[in-house]
Amino acid sequence: MQKLFIIGNGFDLMHQLPTKYVHFQNFLRENFEYTPDTFESLWVEGQQLPDGDIVYNEDDVVRVIDSLISQTDYKDSDWNDMERSLGLLDYSLINDDITDVYDKEGTIHPFHTGNNYEDAYSDLKEVLKMFPHFFKLWVSSIDIENSVTFKNHCFQELIDVKNDLFLTFNYTETLEILYNAENITHIHGVRSEENSIIVGHGNDDTVDEGTYHEDFYTNEIHHFLRKPTQKVIDENHLFFSNLRNITQIYSIGFSFSEVDLIYIQNICSNIDTQDITWYLNIHIDDQGNDNRKERATYKEHIIDCGFKGDFDTFELA
């Protein structure tokens, strides 16, 4: 008998690690010099070095990232659902910083005005391409050894560290450091490996053509910030093809967000799920409320992904 554990951010939070996206926002505000929640210019112009490279002031870059995510319209967004917010950024806010150029007759000069739009959106693209860099800085700052003061003994007794499989969506090494687990797949990368962190949205929408072709840049930014899920699956094909001995699946702290459901679909398509039991974690918050409604939603998502087995629950007291 082999178990598969699907681990989400709630697992790290259970160990009292500061891994909520709002902690990322706090990290930016504490480590870079800018005034948050202000409507300063979103146009950060780069400075050309003698060797020709273009660099951007990091404090200004972080201010723009903070401002754009904080202004998204998603009802539960801002920094509570940052990845979804990345797919809802309103790049047109930079238009307020772009100066229209007029000719002698007082008519907007399309060529020179277009150049201003091109410069502004080109700089915005380069600024937002730095987002993964700052995200990695935050993840790397999380101190597991000195932050975690306990192991969850129920979890420790449940797992077989040498035989079970672990699919974790976390960037931290909590499983390795606290539980000595071995068969771990960090599907979105791990902070200890250079250039391995994957973060992004799942919004396929594109922007219609703009007056000054600003859509070219916004769609390029939007694509860059999108999570490359199919590429991730292709690069981890050995994991998905090695699930034939799984008889039980446990999901812990995983929220089944829309962008990540493709991984659940691939799990279900690579094994015969009819004889498998999927265990959903019972979580009780500080107010004594359990996650009954969330578990019902998770069950629907799992079934929609092709799961045909039974469901049960478990609790990590």
Side-chain angles (χ1 to χ4, degrees), residues 242-267:
N242 194 34
L243 301 174
R244 58 187 177 276
N245 295 323
I246 296 298
T247 58
Q248 298 175 338
I249 300 176
Y250 292 78
S251 51
I252 306 172
F254 182 62
S255 60
F256 295 90
S257 62
E258 185 175 352
V259 68
D260 292 328
L261 290 181
I262 187 172
Y263 304 120
I264 307 303
Q265 294 169 3
N266 270 265
I267 289 172

Side-chain angles (χ1 to χ4, degrees), residues 48-115:
Q48 188 170 22
L49 299 178
D51 62 3
D53 288 344
I54 305 296
V55 297
Y56 295 84
N57 180 279
E58 288 196 341
D59 293 329
D60 288 333
V61 170
V62 168
R63 174 180 55 78
V64 170
I65 292 173
D66 189 334
S67 179
L68 281 174
I69 293 179
S70 298
Q71 292 183 56
T72 53
D73 292 330
Y74 176 61
K75 61 183 177 63
D76 294 323
S77 69
D78 296 341
W79 292 82
N80 294 319
D81 195 346
M82 187 203 66
E83 283 195 308
R84 187 175 300 193
S85 295
L86 288 176
L88 300 170
L89 301 183
D90 185 1
Y91 309 114
S92 68
L93 292 171
I94 200 174
N95 292 352
D96 294 336
D97 305 319
I98 303 173
T99 302
D100 293 331
V101 180
Y102 294 85
D103 58 24
K104 295 179 180 179
E105 287 74 31
T107 304
I108 289 181
H109 196 296
F111 179 76
H112 293 303
T113 300
N115 284 342

Side-chain angles (χ1 to χ4, degrees), residues 18 40 44 58 87 97 104 145 152 191-192 206 209 267 281 283 305 310 315:
E40 298 181 46
V44 177
E58 288 196 341
D97 305 319
K104 295 179 180 179
E145 289 87 346
N152 188 288
R191 61 185 184 165
S192 58
T206 56
E209 184 175 353
I267 289 172
N281 181 219
H283 172 69
C305 288
D310 297 324
E315 187 172 359

Side-chain angles (χ1 to χ4, degrees), residues 6-17 19-20 150 152 168-170 174 251-255 281 283 298 316:
I6 301 175
I7 306 294
N9 191 39
F11 183 79
D12 276 359
L13 293 174
M14 179 180 74
H15 291 86
Q16 299 180 358
L17 288 172
T19 56
K20 290 183 178 180
F150 68 94
N152 188 288
T168 178
F169 288 77
N170 299 339
T174 311
S251 51
I252 306 172
F254 182 62
S255 60
N281 181 219
H283 172 69
Y298 298 162
L316 298 176

